[in-house]
């Protein structure tokens, strides 16, 4: 039994979440799982209509009454600076202390990668720190708007914050039989935060003697993810580097239309969302690729403890690509909705 909140959000969000919903329903029915799915009206339309992003009461209910939420996308050209998106998304991440941004990047079918030689495959899981670093909002500006302007942005790294994300990466490696964890930083230049991350990485790593560990500078890592991505299994890194590198990882394994992500705090409420944004340029045209959202549905089922149902959904994603039941971005002729219908029928079989 599980409860999942569905937040379509903006742009292509509602279209891809509708597909995630039919896939979730079919997978749950096929595996005898009872899942309650409720739609939540959060996003630009509501903000422009009522002037409300999300109330404190809604935030408490969402994180207290549900096991997880599935969010399509937030971002709308009608809202300056996408203030509503920041308020809703960062508010939920911080209030629920979702310190892990979990981004699996697996090459499902070799042809999907823009890289020439992908043998022996790509299967990397990024653990991006999700609550600190340069995203903590610590800094300020002085003499703003003048030629004497000074702007600062400080990177916040706490021992506790670093320890828990590093430990989560090692625990995931141990649980899933992965043999190596790689720390990515810029410790040769950013010596203070780099020193802290490296010390914690070594200290936590000692507790996992069967897992190899290495450290890479972020610039070398960007090159290596193109040159020999098969070398990496689990990558743990700061908020900013994780944001950038996991997009690179998504691209070398098939692009934005395929990449799911989870905002996690083990044992508590989780928020799953595709890595892509609201893509307003293609919204409402029925061509948005729903596979990233379906990947989020799989992560949500695993979060509920239904590993078998999650594996069935993953298998369905691979089958849809192999059989060419895809949207035009992957070379197919299917619509967003028909991909969902095909998957639901396959899961019902
Ligand atoms: P954000 O800043 O919210 O990440 P963005 O505009 O930078 O948003 P996306 O919304 O992710 O980036 O989209 C970038 C482009 O990629 C879109 O214009 C769209 O053409 C394409 N795209 C993104 N997601 C999908 C998808 N699910 N299916 C097909 N094309 C997509």
């Amino acid at each position: 039994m599980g409860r999942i909140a569905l937040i379509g959000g903006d742009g292509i969000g509602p279209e891809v979440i509708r597909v995630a919903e039919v896939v979730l329903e079919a997978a749950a029915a096929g595996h005898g799982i009872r899942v309650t799915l409720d739609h939540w009206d959060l996003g630009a339309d509501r903000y422009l209509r009522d002037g409300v992003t999300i109330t404190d009461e809604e935030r408490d209910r969402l994180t207290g009454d549900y096991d997880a939420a599935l969010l399509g996308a937030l971002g709308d050209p009608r809202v300056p600076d996408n203030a509503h998106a920041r308020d809703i998304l960062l508010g939920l991440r911080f209030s629920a202390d979702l310190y892990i941004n979990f981004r699996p990047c697996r090459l499902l079918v070799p042809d999907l990668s823009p890289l020439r030689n992908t043998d022996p495959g790509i299967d990397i899981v990024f653990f991006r720190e999700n609550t600190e670093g340069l995203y903590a909002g610590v800094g300020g500006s002085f003499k703003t708007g003048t030629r004497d302007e000074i702007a600062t942005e400080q990177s916040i790294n706490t021992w506790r914050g670093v320890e828990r994300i590093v430990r989560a990466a090692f625990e995931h490696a141990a649980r899933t039989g992965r043999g190596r964890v790689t720390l990515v930083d810029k410790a040769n230049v950013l010596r203070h935060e780099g020193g802290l991350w490296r010390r914690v990485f070594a200290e936590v790593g000692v507790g996992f003697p069967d897992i190899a560990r290495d450290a890479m500078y972020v610039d070398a890592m960007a090159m290596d993810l193109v040159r020999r991505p098969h070398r990496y299994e689990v990558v743990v890194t700061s908020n900013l580097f994780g944001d950038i590198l996991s997009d690179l990882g998504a691209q070398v394994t098939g692009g934005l239309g395929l990449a799911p992500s989870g905002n996690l705090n083990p044992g508590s409420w989780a928020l799953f969302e595709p890595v892509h944004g609201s893509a307003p340029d293609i919204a409402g045209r029925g061509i948005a690729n729903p596979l990233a959202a379906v990947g989020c549905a799989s992560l949500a089922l695993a979060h509920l403890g239904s590993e078998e149902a999650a594996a069935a959904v993953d298998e369905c994603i691979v089958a849809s690509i192999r059989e060419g039941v895809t949207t035009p971005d992957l070379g197919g002729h299917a619509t967003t909705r028909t991909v969902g219908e095909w998957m639901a029928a396959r899961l019902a079989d």
Side-chain angles (χ1 to χ4, degrees):
M1 175 67 191
R3 280 193 86 182
I4 297 179
L6 302 173
I7 308 168
D10 306 331
I12 61 171
E15 300 168 55
V16 297
I17 285 299
R18 174 73 192 126
V19 174
E21 180 182 12
V22 299
V23 169
L24 266 174
E25 278 169 348
H31 289 81
I33 308 159
R34 281 185 50 215
V35 182
T36 307
L37 303 172
D38 295 334
H39 283 274
W40 278 60
D41 176 24
L42 300 174
D45 281 344
R46 191 232 180 148
Y47 177 57
L48 292 168
R49 191 179 63 232
D50 305 337
V52 176
T53 54
I54 181 170
T55 65
D56 291 345
E57 184 269 332
E58 284 170 332
R59 197 180 292 126
D60 290 348
R61 212 150 39 81
L62 195 55
T63 56
D65 294 356
Y66 291 85
D67 298 293
L70 235 65
L71 168 68
L74 290 170
D76 189 302
R78 295 170 299 168
V79 181
D81 296 341
N82 280 318
H84 70 301
R86 235 187 352 265
D87 209 35
I88 297 170
L89 197 53
L90 295 189
L92 286 169
R93 273 189 197 163
F94 280 94
S95 67
D97 198 21
L98 303 175
Y99 65 91
I100 301 168
N101 194 213
F102 175 80
R103 293 190 173 197
C105 295
R106 187 156 70 92
L107 183 58
L108 301 173
V109 176
D111 286 351
L112 290 175
S113 180
L115 302 181
R116 228 182 8 237
N117 183 3
T118 55
D119 194 37
I122 308 172
D123 186 1
I124 310 169
V125 180
F126 288 90
F127 277 76
R128 165 189 171 193
E129 204 292 318
N130 214 20
T131 53
E132 302 189 340
L134 274 164
Y135 289 59
V138 179
S141 96
F142 180 50
K143 298 188 180 175
T144 313
T146 73
R147 294 292 163 104
D148 294 322
E149 180 167 349
I150 300 168
T152 64
E153 207 74 58
Q154 289 189 24
S155 177
I156 303 301
N157 300 263
T158 65
W159 189 92
R160 263 177 225 291
V162 175
E163 199 268 347
R164 63 183 184 172
I165 187 76
V166 168
R167 183 170 298 284
F170 275 102
E171 282 174 352
H172 179 81
R175 201 169 49 248
T176 57
R178 290 167 184 260
R180 177 199 295 271
V181 177
T182 303
L183 168 68
V184 179
D185 60 21
K186 188 68 184 169
N188 50 343
V189 179
L190 309 177
R191 287 182 298 117
H192 306 297
E193 65 175 36
L196 172 59
W197 277 81
R198 292 219 172 189
R199 268 181 280 116
V200 172
F201 186 63
E203 192 178 313
V204 173
V206 167
F208 297 85
D210 299 333
I211 298 172
R213 57 178 192 271
D214 59 1
M216 293 284 290
Y217 296 136
V218 64
D219 44 345
M221 184 66 177
M223 286 195 293
D224 239 19
L225 278 177
V226 173
R227 196 163 60 113
R228 44 175 192 171
H230 52 267
R231 186 173 176 273
Y232 299 99
E233 297 177 56
V234 176
V235 172
V236 62
T237 188
S238 64
N239 213 331
L240 177 67
F241 296 156
D243 191 6
I244 300 166
L245 291 177
S246 60
D247 269 24
L248 180 51
Q251 199 54 52
V252 300
T253 49
L256 282 181
L258 280 169
S261 78
N263 298 277
L264 313 172
N265 182 337
S268 75
W269 186 79
L271 174 67
F272 299 97
E273 52 174 335
V275 169
H276 64 71
S278 58
D281 55 326
I282 58 166
R285 292 170 49 198
I287 56 170
N289 186 345
L291 295 186
V294 174
C296 290
S298 160
L299 293 179
L301 286 166
H303 176 74
L304 294 180
S306 312
E307 297 288 348
E308 272 184 23
V313 171
D314 288 342
E315 191 276 330
C316 217
I317 293 174
V318 175
S320 80
I321 299 168
R322 291 228 165 97
E323 297 191 23
V325 186
T326 58
T327 44
D329 57 305
L330 293 185
H333 300 288
T335 64
T336 311
R337 193 164 52 83
T338 53
V339 172
E341 288 165 358
W342 184 87
M343 288 186 158
R346 189 183 168 91
L347 286 162
D349 267 352

